[in-house]
Amino acid sequence: MPLDPSPLNSLGFPKPPSETRVVVAMSGGVDSSVVAAKLKEEGYDVVGVTLQLYDHGAALAKKGACCAGIDIHDARRVAEEMGFPHYVLDYENIFQEAVIEEFAESYLGGATPVPCIRCNERVKFKDLLETAKDLEADCMATGHYIQRKMGETGPELHSAADANRDQSYFLFSTTPEQLEFLRFPLGHLPSKDATRALAAKYGLAVADKPDSQDICFVPDGNYAGVIEKLRPGAAEPGQIVHADGRVLGEHKGVIHYTIGQRRGLGIGGLSEPLYVVRLDVDKKQVVVGPKELLATRTIPVREINWLGDKPFTSQKEWHLSVKVRSTRPPREAIIRPLSDTTAEVELLTPEEGVSPGQACVFYDPDSSRIYGGGWIWRGY
């Protein structure tokens, strides 16, 4: 068989970089700036796109957020320095409807949402990805720390080489179709220091810019304050109740509490440490109890995005590892499909503080591959 006369370039296309258009999603931070600069230096036809997700005035008041006013300025500056076009797209309405509104409703429902996942799923990897196609791009690149590797049946999602920077938990809902079009040029780097070294090499002004912190639209981590602003009167008072039925005190709103919380309960003078074990929105109750009541073995999961080679329901059980919070390591589990998008997950070792609204992400225990995941909810 003759050799292919057109070897693949670094983004996987059989043509020169100069003939390969790549849209880079630029947040204004060091990661996406390095991606854009690196691809431009390699000779690609780079187009930078930054999303304006909320009002500039409010955004400028918050330090350490992504997609804020100063970040738009920084992204534009990188594009000017490296010599490629840059566009700012107004996605305020889309972001409000697809991410912020659901965030508020989830909190009011007693869940602990992860809006960064919804933003990737519903804004960046949906609308922005379609915009990239409208710009006749061959692919879209981002600064996420995750890897895309080619497998026997197509592209696979893999954890980043640097476990401390890995963002797989926040990208589990990336579909096979999206994965065909996406590229993650930083996923193989050994550390964030390596990224900053590249930024310095390219002479980028953002080389020493701090990483973004917390959720971009939540100032100072005050989730309850944001909910009260979005839903005035939402923080209705109620009782703090022990799991055995005793009323221990009053609270100022269920939205001020999360599953597993111990501090700030406002119920002193007790002989044992107590934790929030359940939020009963209908009864306006915060239910507390000893730590052992937090242990969960069986987790109902829905809205599953499956990234396996075989159909999800082709097996009665999948023996994988799962992660139920972004800060926790994967734990061994048995996943039992109930439909194409729902499952019961049995943890071999019980986890504490499993909360509705969080993601349950599936990992191959023997490799870096991610098999998708779904959303934890209350029950069937």
Side-chain angles (χ1 to χ4, degrees):
M1 181 180 292
L3 293 176
D4 186 346
S6 303
L8 300 181
N9 60 34
S10 64
L11 293 178
F13 297 98
K15 54 184 176 180
S18 60
E19 298 176 14
T20 305
R21 176 168 293 178
V22 51
V23 163
V24 178
M26 299 182 68
S27 68
V30 63
D31 298 325
S32 58
S33 296
V34 165
V35 168
K38 181 176 185 292
L39 294 175
K40 176 64 177 177
E41 187 189 59
E42 291 176 10
Y44 286 96
D45 179 9
V46 173
V47 178
V49 175
T50 300
L51 303 182
Q52 179 184 324
L53 299 182
Y54 41 78
D55 176 70
H56 275 173
L60 283 167
K62 167 124 170 63
K63 294 182 178 179
C66 73
C67 310
I70 189 67
D71 295 316
I72 292 173
H73 169 77
D74 287 343
R76 182 180 291 118
R77 184 176 175 183
V78 168
E80 290 174 353
E81 290 173 353
M82 298 301 298
F84 59 83
H86 174 259
Y87 302 98
V88 178
L89 304 181
D90 183 353
Y91 273 42
E92 281 191 41
N93 290 339
I94 294 172
F95 188 68
Q96 179 76 28
E97 295 169 6
V99 179
I100 296 180
E101 292 296 331
E102 183 186 270
F103 173 82
E105 290 302 317
S106 295
Y107 251 100
L108 291 176
T112 307
V114 191
C116 297
I117 298 176
R118 290 302 195 193
C119 183
N120 289 326
E121 174 188 314
R122 297 176 174 177
V123 181
K124 294 176 182 175
F125 290 178
K126 184 184 177 185
D127 294 281
L128 178 55
L129 191 144
E130 289 304 316
T131 297
K133 291 180 178 178
D134 291 341
L135 291 171
E136 300 182 342
D138 293 284
C139 63
M140 185 173 89
T142 79
H144 289 106
Y145 286 88
I146 196 166
Q147 297 187 81
R148 174 190 184 273
K149 298 182 179 182
M150 291 304 298
E152 293 182 3
T153 63
E156 301 172 350
L157 204 60
H158 286 254
S159 299
D162 179 4
N164 293 321
R165 305 296 303 181
D166 177 59
Q167 293 176 291
S168 58
Y169 184 84
F170 300 99
L171 297 169
F172 80 86
S173 61
T174 305
T175 67
E177 294 75 24
Q178 292 168 342
L179 201 53
E180 286 279 356
F181 195 71
L182 289 165
R183 300 294 188 274
F184 309 106
L186 302 185
H188 69 286
L189 295 181
S191 68
K192 183 61 179 267
D193 289 341
T195 304
R196 293 196 182 278
L198 285 173
K201 170 188 172 184
Y202 301 131
L204 302 182
V206 296
D208 296 320
K209 187 174 180 178
D211 291 340
S212 59
Q213 302 293 327
D214 299 318
I215 296 171
C216 62
F217 59 89
V218 181
D220 305 319
N222 183 7
Y223 302 96
V226 171
I227 303 303
E228 289 182 282
K229 184 177 180 180
L230 292 168
R231 299 287 189 276
E236 298 184 41
Q239 296 178 329
I240 299 177
V241 181
H242 194 284
D244 63 15
R246 288 177 290 153
V247 176
L248 302 179
E250 301 286 326
H251 66 75
K252 295 181 180 180
V254 171
I255 62 172
H256 293 278
Y257 300 84
T258 58
I259 302 296
Q261 180 178 335
R262 178 185 175 188
R263 299 181 182 278
L265 300 182
I267 46 173
L270 299 169
S271 59
E272 61 174 344
L274 296 177
Y275 300 79
V276 176
V277 299
R278 192 171 73 254
L279 299 173
D280 192 324
V281 176
D282 295 334
K283 295 181 179 179
K284 301 175 186 174
Q285 290 182 339
V286 174
V287 182
V288 299
K291 191 174 184 179
E292 55 264 27
L293 291 184
L294 285 172
T296 301
R297 183 179 290 274
T298 303
I299 306 172
V301 179
R302 61 183 177 183
E303 293 184 60
I304 289 173
N305 176 56
W306 178 246
L307 295 175
D309 298 330
K310 299 178 182 178
F312 185 51
T313 54
S314 65
Q315 294 184 195
K316 291 184 177 180
E317 294 182 349
W318 294 91
H319 291 253
L320 300 170
S321 296
V322 302
K323 185 184 285 194
V324 294
R325 280 189 185 271
S326 62
T327 55
R328 296 184 183 177
R331 301 290 178 87
E332 288 185 276
I334 300 172
I335 302 166
R336 298 186 177 91
L338 301 176
S339 72
D340 289 338
T341 58
T342 59
E344 178 184 88
V345 175
E346 179 186 348
L347 301 173
L348 300 193
T349 302
E351 278 268 10
E352 295 176 351
V354 176
S355 175
Q358 295 285 301
C360 179
V361 182
F362 309 154
Y363 295 82
D364 185 339
D366 301 316
S367 76
S368 60
R369 187 173 179 184
I370 297 133
Y371 282 90
W375 295 93
I376 300 169
W377 63 306
R378 282 194 171 75
Y380 314 109

